[in-house]
Amino acid sequence: MRLYRKKQILILLYNSYLTGVISILVSLIAYIILREQLKPSVIFFTAIKIFFSVLPIVFLKRRNFLFKDGPLKSVILILYYLILVPIVNFSLGLNITDNLKYFFDFLSIIDVILLISSHIILLKYVVNDFFRRKRKIVASDVTVVMTTYITLAISFGLLYTLLSLFSVEPVFHGINRDIPGFEFYFKHIYFSFITITTIGYGDIYPLKSIAQFFVVLEIITGIILTNVILGLVIGSGILKSKDQ
């Protein structure tokens, strides 16, 4: 078992090295094709962005790689794209020109696709397995449902952030685009959490129809997760003492 885990770590390091080299080459080629000024620091920072965007593909293409395929692996990938990748992107502080904007938009699309893939795996485990009774419900499923709830809230926060970034006009009342990047991202996550919990303080609310649609979708998703699925898990009797 230890030998198998050591082999997996070596594979991860090797793939990380290859991903790093490819990221630098892609960054260099992109700047040459788009006829941008070749600054070593900018090319390096762009390569870092590419590296963190595509590295998790190693986890997706290999079965039971480092972590057993299932909810834990999905949650790790989701949090990777929802927390680590945005922090890296905001910390780099790249000045994106019009030519490079499409290139970085393409990288963002890759991030979103991998994020959605991870969510599909997690939701399949939570929804499909529970309703179709494909397996016996265990105590750890309570943690899985709550983790799904939290990661969905952060994911909707990312979605709201993208809506604000790609819109010329304000999408949400109470969120100013002039604030620093990470605070801008956090405010959308804050709004997402008070939405999925149906608290709704009223300090931030959607102005555009598309944002209002996703807000309604998030509320319905939150209700289903907490009232229906969590009710099924707790109602199964798994939390009862064996002596009862």
Side-chain angles (χ1 to χ4, degrees), residues 155-168:
S155 296
F156 272 100
L158 174 63
L159 177 61
Y160 299 145
T161 304
L162 293 175
L163 290 177
S164 294
L165 288 175
F166 288 103
S167 176
V168 178

Side-chain angles (χ1 to χ4, degrees), residues 17 24 57 78 80 92 110 118 143 149 211 235:
Y17 169 75
I24 294 174
I57 295 177
I78 290 169
Y80 176 92
L92 293 177
I110 293 177
S118 302
T143 304
Y149 187 81

Side-chain angles (χ1 to χ4, degrees), residues 187-206:
K187 278 188 173 291
H188 288 88
I189 293 178
Y190 157 76
F191 169 71
S192 180
F193 269 97
I194 64 175
T195 298
I196 200 170
T197 54
T198 65
I199 295 175
Y201 290 118
D203 53 340
I204 301 174
Y205 55 84

Side-chain angles (χ1 to χ4, degrees), residues 51-63:
F51 174 82
F52 281 101
S53 295
V54 301
L55 181 62
I57 295 177
V58 177
F59 287 88
L60 290 174
K61 73 178 184 178
R62 290 181 175 271
R63 292 183 59 85

Side-chain angles (χ1 to χ4, degrees), residues 5-16 65:
R5 182 57 61 88
K6 182 179 179 180
K7 182 179 179 181
Q8 286 190 322
I9 293 175
L10 290 175
I11 292 173
L12 175 63
L13 293 175
Y14 176 72
N15 281 277
S16 300
F65 184 67

